[in-house]
Amino acid sequence: MQPVVIRTARLRLDLPLPGDADAVTAYCQDPIFERWLTTPWPYTREHADAFLGTYVPAGWATASELTWAIRAVEGGPLLGVVSVRETQREIGFWMGAEHRGAGRMSEAAAAVSEWVLGGGIPESATVFWRAVEGNIGSAKVARAAGFRRIEPEHATVPTRDGEGTLPAWYAVREREADPRAEASWDGILGARS
Ligand SMILES: CC(C)(COP(=O)(O)OP(=O)(O)OC[C@H]1O[C@@H](n2cnc3c(N)ncnc32)[C@H](O)[C@@H]1OP(=O)(O)O)[C@@H](O)C(=O)NCCC(=O)NCCS
């Protein structure tokens, strides 16, 4: 599959490039990545080079995982990353620490979900989100992007080494806006004021 550019009101989502390695290396030193993500830890420049030079292009080529750089403008610095795995249409994301709290990730996650459900990945009825239990920032992004929390019996995510699991929060987004979506988060996030 050819990489796809998605535009939103404030953002341009496009292909992460080898030239983004400095930014990716710097952002991935963030201690909260150790807790909430499965990105390598400690994270080195070699990890960024392999991610940008091999992993991302291979994901697009095989359509197994589609990964976008979040930028303000074409050719601008990478601010964060959002991806969708073909299996289960699972969305994942992170934002560089200095760019958080401005609603950019919510905007990017909503746009990618709408693109998937609009036929970007054929035959997608839902987009799936999960996060390690307690990841309030990620849950707020999922709520803002229109996801509805679900509570399956065995809700887990794999640990970084892939050998264990951690309790997780799950949510889905469907093609039609779900009127129950907003209230489904009240139990963990409280009602939005
Ligand atoms: C989760 C993350 C992507 C949010 O990025 P962001 O750019 O701040 O997202 P937005 O600006 O769209 O914020 C959405 C909401 O989350 C809140 N938020 C963001 N980070 C938060 C945090 N660490 N703790 C609590 N709330 C947070 C924002 O205040 C905002 O709240 P609101 O809806 O009440 O206004 C970012 O904190 C991050 O990269 N975290 C580490 C990686 C990670 O956990 N990724 C998700 C893995 S499942």
Side-chain angles (χ1 to χ4, degrees):
M1 181 171 189
Q2 287 298 318
V4 170
V5 176
I6 300 175
R7 291 181 183 81
T8 72
R10 293 182 294 169
L11 304 171
R12 178 186 160 99
L13 311 181
D14 62 15
L15 185 66
L17 296 169
D20 295 313
D22 284 346
V24 170
T25 308
Y27 296 141
C28 291
Q29 308 303 316
D30 187 332
I32 70 169
F33 283 24
E34 183 183 13
R35 179 155 182 209
W36 301 132
L37 297 181
T38 53
T39 45
W41 191 266
Y43 196 95
T44 65
R45 169 69 190 228
E46 287 68 37
H47 290 126
D49 288 338
F51 173 66
L52 297 163
T54 308
Y55 187 86
V56 169
W60 278 102
T62 59
S64 58
E65 183 163 358
L66 313 182
T67 305
W68 288 266
I70 301 170
R71 307 183 201 276
V73 291
E74 183 172 5
L78 178 148
L79 311 177
V81 165
V82 55
S83 69
V84 182
R85 291 209 174 125
E86 207 254 345
T87 330
Q88 291 196 288
R89 312 328 191 217
E90 182 173 350
I91 192 165
F93 44 76
W94 57 258
M95 182 65 78
E98 57 265 47
H99 305 295
R100 290 181 196 148
R104 289 193 192 91
M105 188 50 84
S106 304
E107 192 171 319
V112 166
S113 303
E114 282 155 19
W115 176 82
V116 171
L117 295 169
I121 302 180
E123 294 169 35
S124 304
T126 56
V127 177
F128 181 57
W129 166 92
R130 58 185 175 162
V132 177
E133 205 173 276
N135 191 345
I136 296 283
S138 185
K140 285 185 172 175
V141 168
R143 176 175 68 178
F147 282 72
R148 174 172 56 87
R149 191 171 165 232
I150 55 171
E151 297 184 73
E153 208 174 326
H154 301 289
T156 59
V157 281
T159 51
R160 175 173 280 101
D161 62 12
E163 288 181 10
T165 56
L166 291 168
W169 289 331
Y170 281 34
V172 292
R173 182 171 163 168
E174 282 130 13
R175 223 166 278 153
E176 300 298 324
D178 188 326
R180 299 165 300 170
E182 180 76 21
S184 71
W185 297 96
D186 291 357
I188 58 171
L189 298 179
R192 191 142 53 164
S193 48

